[in-house]
Amino acid sequence: MDIQNIINNIPKVELHCHIDGSIRPKTILELALTGGIDVPFFNIEEAKRYLQITGECNSLKDYLDKFHFPVRVMQKKINIYRIIMELIEDSKMDGIMYTELRLAPLQHLKGGLSPEEVVETVLEAMKDGKDKFGVVSVLILCSLRHEPVEKSIEVVKLARKYISKGVVAIDLAGNESDFPPEIHKKAFDLAYEYGINITVHAGETGICANILKSIIDLHATRIGHGVFAYKDDKTLVYLIDNHIPLEMCPTSNLQTKAISAYCEHPIRTYLKNGINVTLNTDNRTVSNITLTEEYMNLISKLDFSMEEILQLIRNGINSAFASKQFKTTMLEKFNTYVRELPEICKN
């Protein structure tokens, strides 16, 4: 029995996927060449060397360098619209029924767009993507660690304008090693006051303390990555007792040197210990991974059982920034599929 095909067809969700890290290389090449953007690559194989982790990557900082050209082609409405539609199509092919996509809107203003135009273009494509591909997608707006807190406040106020129109949360992303979460506390206090959902990248590098800082000081109800939670018992207990979901992305963590080998990733230990872990790609293009492939990695490299795979999918559905009613709908769709699987595939 083809387990990969089964996993691909199980209705899944993805909670941590960056748009600019998930653009088809062919699309970046075409948009750069037709748009007169100066790039050092002129065919698809050359492009992949600049856009994907194909060799050694020494840190998260090196990993983030891969976003330079994707951001450059995302400065026009027509380009942003196309990229979103293609990403939703890719999600459909990956068996995803619901995806939370992330974007740092203030990075896309160099072509003359306003922050509102950036967000509205994404939301328009998401609506059309749902109509065409049947995938529900929503938007998380990211502020960036290296930017001043005033920029994060701008992102929070932007999110508030669209919170009932497709934007579901805000996030803090970027260089965790040099910019601790407390720098942006004022902005996230404001988001909390507005009632906006909050997720924060934390514990992606070796700084475990950032996890509790993000939850307590920045009001995060979900944590992006959280790999290094194991370094502090207090953090582990807090995550378990408060049912804080971790948006885990093992291939990305391997590439950024958060782990030295895939088999060392703590995701299975966390799951067994009662932490609410979910599985995600982080950046489909940069990490050169699909969600189905990531689930297969868990089976082949961490000896996950199908029962554990199904639990991860349930965790993702239950942890989504979606209404209780819509989560129930997704769980019903998931359960219907699982009930039809042969018993051998559920163990």
Side-chain angles (χ1 to χ4, degrees):
M1 188 167 293
D2 187 349
I3 294 296
Q4 181 162 339
N5 187 57
I6 289 171
I7 291 176
N8 186 82
N9 289 320
I10 295 174
K12 299 180 292 297
V13 304
E14 179 157 32
L15 307 182
H16 193 120
C17 181
H18 293 272
I19 295 169
D20 50 0
S22 302
I23 309 172
R24 296 174 183 173
K26 181 181 178 182
T27 297
I28 295 176
L29 178 63
E30 290 178 1
L31 294 179
L33 296 182
T34 59
I37 298 172
D38 185 23
V39 294
F41 46 82
F42 299 95
N43 61 58
I44 192 64
E45 293 307 316
E46 288 180 349
K48 287 179 179 179
R49 292 207 305 271
Y50 285 90
L51 304 172
Q52 298 177 337
I53 302 297
T54 56
E56 189 68 16
C57 177
N58 295 315
S59 67
L60 176 60
K61 293 180 185 179
D62 285 351
Y63 186 90
L64 294 175
D65 286 343
K66 297 293 183 180
F67 291 82
H68 176 69
F69 293 111
V71 170
R72 289 186 66 187
V73 303
M74 291 183 67
Q75 303 297 330
K76 297 180 179 179
K77 286 184 180 182
I78 190 172
N79 293 2
I80 294 172
Y81 182 92
R82 172 183 171 179
I83 285 163
I84 299 300
M85 288 293 286
E86 290 179 350
L87 180 49
I88 294 172
E89 182 179 20
D90 292 342
S91 298
K92 173 69 173 180
M93 293 168 61
D94 205 8
I96 292 172
M97 59 177 164
Y98 169 88
T99 182
E100 296 181 358
L101 304 178
R102 302 184 186 213
L103 178 83
L106 303 188
Q107 285 196 303
H108 305 282
L109 312 181
K110 294 179 182 177
L113 296 178
S114 68
E116 288 80 4
E117 287 175 317
V118 173
V119 172
E120 288 168 11
T121 301
V122 174
L123 296 180
E124 179 186 3
M126 286 179 160
K127 178 182 179 299
D128 292 347
K130 179 185 176 184
D131 293 341
K132 185 172 183 179
F133 302 112
V135 176
V136 175
S137 60
V138 294
L139 183 60
I140 297 175
L141 298 186
C142 296
S143 61
L144 299 176
R145 288 185 138 86
H146 66 277
E147 296 284 359
V149 67
E150 289 77 16
K151 293 291 186 181
S152 291
I153 291 172
E154 186 176 347
V155 171
V156 170
K157 291 181 177 178
L158 181 65
R160 190 188 191 192
K161 293 181 181 179
Y162 299 96
I163 205 62
S164 61
K165 301 175 183 178
V167 172
V168 295
I170 63 161
D171 178 25
L172 180 64
N175 177 3
E176 183 185 4
S177 296
D178 298 327
F179 301 93
E182 57 265 31
I183 293 173
H184 297 270
K185 178 172 171 52
K186 184 177 179 181
F188 283 76
D189 282 346
L190 185 63
Y192 181 73
E193 179 184 326
Y194 289 160
I196 300 173
N197 291 314
I198 296 170
T199 179
V200 174
H201 284 64
E204 184 178 6
T205 61
I207 311 172
C208 175
N210 282 347
I211 296 173
L212 285 187
K213 283 182 181 180
S214 298
I215 297 168
I216 296 170
D217 296 339
L218 268 57
H219 317 287
T221 57
R222 284 187 352 210
I223 291 294
H225 300 283
V227 182
F228 287 92
Y230 66 82
K231 295 178 71 173
D232 177 59
D233 288 343
K234 179 182 177 183
T235 299
L236 290 173
V237 170
Y238 193 97
L239 292 173
I240 295 167
D241 288 350
N242 292 277
H243 311 289
I244 303 294
L246 298 184
E247 308 154 357
M248 307 210 83
C249 313
T251 293
S252 171
N253 299 150
L254 176 62
Q255 292 167 337
T256 62
K257 296 296 186 291
I259 52 174
S260 57
Y262 201 103
C263 62
E264 296 177 1
H265 199 280
I267 185 170
R268 192 175 188 205
T269 301
Y270 289 172
L271 181 66
K272 285 181 173 294
N273 289 340
I275 295 177
N276 185 8
V277 291
T278 69
L279 187 71
N280 311 274
T281 60
D282 198 9
N283 300 282
R284 290 170 165 262
T285 298
V286 176
S287 288
N288 193 21
I289 194 76
T290 68
L291 190 57
T292 296
E293 290 168 344
E294 197 72 273
Y295 276 109
M296 291 303 297
N297 282 338
L298 295 186
I299 293 171
S300 64
K301 299 176 181 180
L302 287 173
D303 199 29
F304 265 66
S305 67
M306 183 56 74
E307 181 181 356
E308 290 170 321
I309 295 296
L310 296 177
Q311 185 58 54
L312 284 179
I313 298 173
R314 288 189 198 95
N315 287 353
I317 295 171
N318 288 322
S319 301
F321 288 136
S323 68
K324 184 176 180 180
Q325 181 180 3
F326 188 62
K327 289 180 187 180
T328 299
T329 299
M330 290 194 288
L331 281 170
E332 289 174 351
K333 185 175 181 179
F334 166 79
N335 289 331
T336 297
Y337 183 89
V338 171
R339 280 194 296 269
E340 295 174 354
L341 289 176
E343 284 302 318
I344 192 174
C345 298
K346 304 177 189 178
N347 301 313

